[in-house]
Amino acid sequence: MRQIIVLLSLVLLNTVCFAQLSIKGTIHDETATPLAGTTIEFYSSGQAAKTLAADASGSFEIDALRAGEKYLLQVSAAGYQEQALAIQLQGDTTLSIILARSSTVLKGVTVTSKARLIEVKPDKTVVNLADNMTIVGNSIAETLGKIPGLQMNGDRVTIPGKGEVQLMQDGRLIQLSQKDLLNYLKSIPAGNVSKIEIITNPSAAYDAAGNAGLINIITKRSKQQGYNGSIQAGYKQWQHYPGMDVTGNINYNAGKWNVYANANLFRIRHKYGFRWEEYYPDRSWIMSDTGDYKQHNLVLNAGADYQLSQKSQIGFSTGFSRYFEGGADYVRNHFYNGQGQTDSVLTTYATYIPLAKSQSYNLYYKTKLDTAGKTFSMDGSFLTFYRTDESNVTAKTFTPEGAPIDPSTARFYNNTMQNINIYALKTDMEFPTRVAKLQWGGKVNFIETYNNMRYYRVTEAGNDYDGQLSNEYKYTENTQALYLNGSREAGSWSFQAGLRGELTQTSGYSYIRQQGNKNNYVKLFPNALINFKKDDQNSFALSYNKRVRRPTFWNLNPYISILTAYSYYEGNPFLQPEYNSNFQLQHNFNNKLTSAFFVALTNNGFDDITIAHVDTNFVMRTPKNFVNSTRIGVSETYNFSAIRWWESNNLFNLYYTNGRSMLDYVEGRKGWGAYVSSSNTFYLNSNKTLSAAVNFWYQFREVTLVNQSDAYYNIDLGLNAQLLKDKLSLNANLQDVFGTGGASYTTVINGIRQKYANLQLNRNFSLTLIFKFGKKEAAATERANSNQEERERI
């Protein structure tokens, strides 16, 4: 930490500031009407594109430009011809840009141009969803699994072949547990999202979380003066059960104010399950779990932005969510002897009544300090998450003939309470100089969690408190971070490097067990990027970054969760973070073909492992740090749009993994893996108002840490119609057509082969109707917030 402070101080004392040039301009159509919200994308040699939007009067300004540098501006607006301007700056420049309408009439039908679906940049891939009608009616949870380069693996989002990612919304990490995160993503309609950024090489300005990088979900925020919005209603059919999804959002802009709000109500009933197998030398047991659950979600968000002056802006947002996913699990545990004959059958029936609520508040301020491009921003957030849960568990053992074995009945009751408070404050400074563009800042966050789980053994006399199973646990985590990032352009070359330092203090204490532990550590997270633009069609990028994957708060809580009378899950308060180093060499051709060679190193990796013993039927599942892993691979991405009625985005990854276990009772694994996906849109009429989608992916056998997975695949079908001049949308989707999207994994622990299979029950049909009202939306604005790394860990 002292090194970071010294380095930052030296930069501040020795950096010499030089005046920078600017480009100002106005954009209007052929009738001199200002075009508010027009998108301006500008480049310089070897530098990734940067984007901004014109204000309500059609004006824009680009600061911190250098004399003698060549810049390319691409100006675009829906319904107008795109215009490109090449400028070599000698001084401050003022432009007046006129865009001509791009509409052509074909038998009374208007055709307009749309943004490219996928844009590949040196540090990230941008997927534009605003004009993609094939995802209308889907939630973001469903949409992520259809994007080339991403995979929804159960309740985890991964980059195939590279690992898990952390999820952000508008620059803020979503700090929820995997299951609660999935529920939250289901509540966000894809129609509310402007674009998704797959950030594979985050700079030091970002939090260090995420093995393979970050996914930033950027929601729409219209700058169109007046009001606009939409109402969405959907019907879903899961297995034998119907469901519904209703969403409304509205934006209102007047003068210096921008006010927005959205709400979502989501109700479904669905089934899910898993299969767990243990193979001992002289016996085996197989457990199958089928759950039947009702899910009722309510999400409300609102906020306002106010333009204090031409240089300063302030904003506030708040959110509320309520999640309920109650139901019952039915478990059958078959015990077999060495000859494969059934010895006994254990059944467990458990009911759950969970209720979770969260509230969030965010306040931000941003200002330009001068015309040279110096900016300062501050962002503060508060999140509270509260969950209660009640469950009743009844376990019985039967003979192979179905007769109950007495006394074998075990009954448990438990109630659980979890309360989490997260406070975060971050500041950022952009400071362009003659040598390089510098960015530095810091963040502090404070996390408080309290968990109380009470177990009771249910008898005829009443409920007897069980102190061995119960737990009361408090955990605090404080982190202070500083970062410094620099970037520079030199002709066809561009360079970016940064260093982030994080000082973390953790403290956990179990009141019932009277056991506690504390940690205090400093970690550095460097990153670097070199980009070379050979010509207009070819660019090369070499990148490196170090990332961290922290345990969820439930992982750290030493609670016991009973699965059956012979199996349970237990948290691990001594679990440590996992660290990942990523190297990649990438070539991009004409934004269509992207080839990459990558290396991913995992140190101190953790995962849930099932510990079974030969001399007993009892098994325990718990998270442990136990593996180091090396993965080497290549990837190819191809975007095809040569045929007017067909757009296709395709991905192929091939990789080799060597997982080395640090525990003598867990076998390491190594082997090849591969993943292929294809996302296709077919336009069924000339004006592209009727379209069909076919999305497919196939995961070949692969090694992940010390697990060997079987092959599995998924096919989605969709149909979309745009009616009433794009005011009305009708969308039909069939997800996981053949019910083949479930994964299964094999591991060997204590010489016992184990297999875990997800019983895929996610096949569903949806029909969605969307009506847009108000003025037609202009380009959306984007803003990053502070509450970053912590939500994903709840």
Side-chain angles (χ1 to χ4, degrees):
M1 179 59 65
R2 181 178 299 171
Q3 294 173 340
I4 297 175
I5 296 174
V6 171
L7 178 60
L8 191 56
S9 301
L10 289 175
V11 171
L12 290 171
L13 291 173
N14 293 286
T15 299
V16 179
C17 305
F18 289 81
Q20 305 283 301
L21 302 180
S22 67
I23 298 175
K24 300 180 181 179
T26 58
I27 305 169
H28 51 273
D29 64 12
E30 298 160 306
T31 65
T33 301
L35 297 179
T38 300
T39 299
I40 303 101
E41 195 169 13
F42 66 100
Y43 310 76
S44 62
S45 302
Q47 179 68 24
K50 301 176 183 177
T51 305
L52 70 156
D55 62 19
S57 63
S59 302
F60 69 92
E61 181 178 355
I62 307 172
D63 295 323
L65 306 180
R66 293 193 296 272
E69 186 71 44
K70 293 181 180 179
Y71 292 92
L72 175 66
L73 273 68
Q74 288 185 316
V75 184
S76 60
Y80 293 86
Q81 295 180 12
E82 184 178 288
Q83 188 172 147
L85 300 90
I87 302 172
Q88 184 166 7
L89 284 185
Q90 301 301 330
D92 290 335
T93 302
T94 301
L95 302 173
S96 178
I97 301 173
I98 301 174
L99 296 186
R101 291 189 177 275
S102 62
S103 303
T104 58
V105 178
L106 296 175
K107 296 182 180 180
V109 178
T110 301
V111 182
T112 59
S113 59
K114 294 185 178 181
R116 290 170 297 191
L117 174 63
I118 294 180
E119 300 175 70
V120 179
K121 302 180 181 182
D123 59 339
K124 63 186 175 183
T125 299
V126 180
V127 182
N128 294 298
L129 300 181
D131 292 322
N132 185 358
M133 292 299 102
T134 63
I135 53 88
V136 172
N138 291 336
S139 68
I140 283 298
E142 296 164 325
T143 300
L144 289 175
K146 298 178 181 180
I147 293 176
L150 293 181
Q151 183 182 20
M152 285 293 296
N153 192 349
D155 52 9
R156 299 182 179 183
V157 183
T158 65
I159 296 178
K162 297 184 180 181
E164 292 185 33
V165 293
Q166 294 282 91
L167 292 178
M168 299 190 300
Q169 182 177 344
D170 296 322
R172 180 192 302 175
L173 284 184
I174 307 172
Q175 303 288 67
L176 295 173
S177 67
Q178 292 169 350
K179 189 170 185 179
D180 290 323
L181 174 62
L182 184 63
N183 291 338
Y184 178 71
L185 295 177
K186 288 178 180 178
S187 71
I188 303 176
N192 287 1
V193 175
S194 171
K195 63 181 69 173
I196 291 177
E197 296 177 330
I198 306 173
I199 309 173
T200 53
N201 188 49
S203 72
Y206 291 95
D207 287 84
N211 289 11
L214 300 166
I215 302 298
N216 189 18
I217 302 168
I218 300 175
T219 54
K220 292 180 180 178
R221 187 80 58 78
S222 175
K223 292 188 69 174
Q224 177 71 48
Q225 290 293 298
Y227 74 95
N228 61 69
S230 66
I231 298 175
Q232 173 178 316
Y235 168 85
K236 287 182 178 288
Q237 182 72 38
W238 288 72
Q239 294 96 39
H240 305 291
Y241 308 122
M244 55 84 72
D245 183 1
V246 178
T247 299
N249 69 81
I250 188 169
N251 292 272
Y252 179 72
N253 293 278
K256 296 182 178 181
W257 284 95
N258 170 220
V259 182
Y260 56 92
N262 60 73
N264 173 259
L265 178 63
F266 181 70
R267 288 175 174 260
I268 63 170
R269 183 179 175 184
H270 64 103
K271 292 183 178 181
Y272 82 97
F274 64 89
R275 183 181 175 92
W276 184 0
E277 304 173 6
E278 300 275 347
Y279 295 94
Y280 301 82
D282 59 344
R283 66 188 187 279
S284 61
W285 65 262
I286 298 176
M287 183 179 78
S288 62
D289 183 335
T290 302
D292 189 337
Y293 280 81
K294 294 180 180 179
Q295 185 175 340
H296 299 168
N297 295 346
L298 174 65
V299 179
L300 303 171
N301 293 287
D305 301 321
Y306 181 72
Q307 197 73 34
L308 294 170
S309 66
Q310 290 185 346
K311 293 183 177 181
S312 302
Q313 186 181 46
I314 192 170
F316 174 78
S317 63
T318 183
F320 169 82
S321 62
R322 180 184 183 276
Y323 305 111
F324 171 81
E325 189 174 14
D329 276 16
Y330 181 62
V331 181
R332 292 180 63 85
N333 207 155
H334 290 258
F335 295 86
Y336 301 94
N337 58 29
Q339 291 72 43
Q341 299 170 330
T342 302
D343 273 349
S344 60
V345 179
L346 171 67
T347 65
T348 303
Y349 182 77
T351 60
Y352 300 94
I353 308 176
L355 180 62
K357 298 179 181 180
S358 69
Q359 297 180 59
S360 63
Y361 305 91
N362 173 254
L363 178 67
Y364 82 95
Y365 171 76
K366 184 174 183 179
T367 185
K368 296 180 181 179
L369 301 178
D370 60 15
T371 59
K374 300 185 185 69
T375 62
F376 171 80
S377 62
M378 179 176 290
D379 192 297
S381 298
F382 170 67
L383 169 74
T384 179
F385 179 88
Y386 181 80
R387 173 175 175 144
T388 59
D389 198 345
E390 291 186 32
S391 68
N392 285 277
V393 180
T394 302
K396 296 182 179 182
T397 304
F398 298 85
T399 65
E401 294 73 26
I405 300 176
D406 293 321
S408 65
T409 299
R411 296 181 62 194
F412 299 92
Y413 166 78
N414 81 74
N415 56 65
T416 305
M417 186 272 282
Q418 182 185 44
N419 189 43
I420 300 175
N421 294 316
I422 301 174
Y423 308 83
L425 177 67
K426 67 187 287 284
T427 60
D428 299 279
M429 179 78 178
E430 293 186 7
F431 197 93
T433 72
R434 186 176 182 180
V435 178
K437 180 179 180 180
L438 299 178
Q439 184 180 13
W440 67 79
K443 174 186 174 181
V444 293
N445 70 275
F446 306 94
I447 302 171
E448 302 171 352
T449 75
Y450 175 79
N451 304 274
N452 194 333
M453 176 174 283
R454 303 288 182 178
Y455 265 101
Y456 301 86
R457 293 183 180 268
V458 180
T459 65
E460 293 182 358
N463 295 344
D464 294 334
Y465 175 71
D466 191 325
Q468 295 295 319
L469 297 177
S470 301
N471 190 35
E472 184 180 2
Y473 184 69
K474 182 179 181 180
Y475 175 81
T476 61
E477 179 179 298
N478 301 326
T479 301
Q480 304 85 46
L482 289 175
Y483 76 88
L484 175 65
N485 199 71
S487 60
R488 175 180 172 82
E489 302 171 13
S492 298
W493 294 84
S494 63
F495 307 89
Q496 180 267 320
L499 180 65
R500 186 180 185 90
E502 295 187 353
L503 172 63
T504 304
Q505 309 91 36
T506 68
S507 175
Y509 186 77
S510 174
Y511 292 96
I512 293 179
R513 301 184 184 184
Q514 296 185 348
Q515 181 183 43
N517 63 291
K518 295 183 178 181
N519 285 297
N520 192 331
Y521 56 88
V522 178
K523 291 295 181 181
L524 299 179
F525 301 95
N527 72 88
L529 172 67
I530 301 175
N531 186 59
F532 172 65
K533 189 174 182 181
K534 183 176 180 295
D535 50 44
D536 290 339
Q537 292 186 324
N538 294 277
S539 64
F540 299 84
L542 177 64
S543 63
Y544 161 74
N545 63 75
K546 184 177 181 180
R547 313 291 299 164
V548 63
R549 175 185 169 222
R550 291 185 172 89
T552 67
F553 303 133
W554 275 114
N555 289 149
L556 296 167
N557 183 1
Y559 75 104
I560 292 177
S561 178
I562 295 176
L563 303 176
T564 72
Y566 293 98
S567 57
Y568 63 94
Y569 181 93
E570 183 174 1
N572 180 2
F574 301 101
L575 203 61
Q576 297 296 311
E578 167 188 308
Y579 299 97
N580 297 269
S581 298
N582 303 293
F583 305 83
Q584 179 168 284
L585 176 62
Q586 175 182 292
H587 169 243
N588 178 254
F589 175 73
N590 201 29
N591 205 52
K592 292 185 178 293
L593 179 64
T594 304
S595 306
F597 169 77
F598 61 87
V599 178
L601 308 177
T602 299
N603 292 294
N604 204 40
F606 67 85
D607 199 3
D608 290 340
I609 63 173
T610 303
I611 302 175
H613 300 278
V614 176
D615 57 345
T616 177
N617 284 325
F618 281 94
V619 293
M620 176 185 72
R621 190 164 177 83
T622 187
K624 284 184 176 293
N625 296 100
F626 70 97
V627 64
N628 293 327
S629 176
T630 301
R631 176 170 283 182
I632 301 175
V634 294
S635 69
E636 295 286 342
T637 304
Y638 179 63
N639 304 320
F640 171 79
S641 58
I643 300 176
R644 186 172 59 86
W645 52 267
W646 180 21
E647 294 179 0
S648 181
N649 301 280
N650 306 277
L651 169 71
F652 175 70
N653 281 1
L654 177 67
Y655 43 91
Y656 182 83
T657 306
N658 183 6
R660 304 172 300 280
S661 173
M662 296 181 288
L663 299 175
D664 55 6
Y665 56 86
V666 180
E667 286 189 6
R669 281 188 181 270
K670 54 186 176 181
W672 289 93
Y675 176 88
V676 61
S677 71
S678 181
S679 177
N680 300 273
T681 302
F682 301 93
Y683 296 101
L684 306 180
N685 59 357
S686 58
N687 61 354
K688 298 186 177 182
T689 58
L690 184 63
S691 59
V694 179
N695 301 312
F696 166 80
W697 57 258
Y698 190 97
Q699 174 66 66
F700 294 84
R701 286 169 56 88
E702 66 166 347
V703 171
T704 304
L705 296 180
V706 296
N707 301 313
Q708 173 73 62
S709 76
D710 295 332
Y712 52 105
Y713 66 95
N714 181 87
I715 296 176
D716 297 329
L717 302 176
L719 184 67
N720 174 266
Q722 296 295 301
L723 309 169
L724 303 179
K725 297 181 179 181
D726 290 346
K727 289 286 187 180
L728 186 66
S729 301
L730 180 63
N731 184 272
N733 274 293
L734 182 58
Q735 183 176 334
D736 196 7
V737 176
F738 301 107
T740 53
S744 61
Y745 305 91
T746 300
T747 311
V748 178
I749 300 176
N750 275 336
I752 301 169
R753 182 169 64 91
Q754 307 173 0
K755 185 172 184 178
Y756 177 90
N758 180 20
L759 304 180
Q760 183 59 282
L761 298 172
N762 285 331
R763 180 168 52 189
N764 68 84
F765 170 77
S766 64
L767 184 66
T768 305
L769 193 67
I770 300 177
F771 176 71
K772 298 180 181 179
F773 58 87
K775 294 184 178 181
K776 189 173 182 179
E777 294 180 10
T781 60
E782 301 167 12
R783 185 181 67 81
N785 299 321
S786 71
N787 190 4
Q788 299 197 338
E789 187 186 343
E790 294 74 24
R791 283 195 185 184
E792 180 116 353
R793 299 170 56 208
I794 292 178

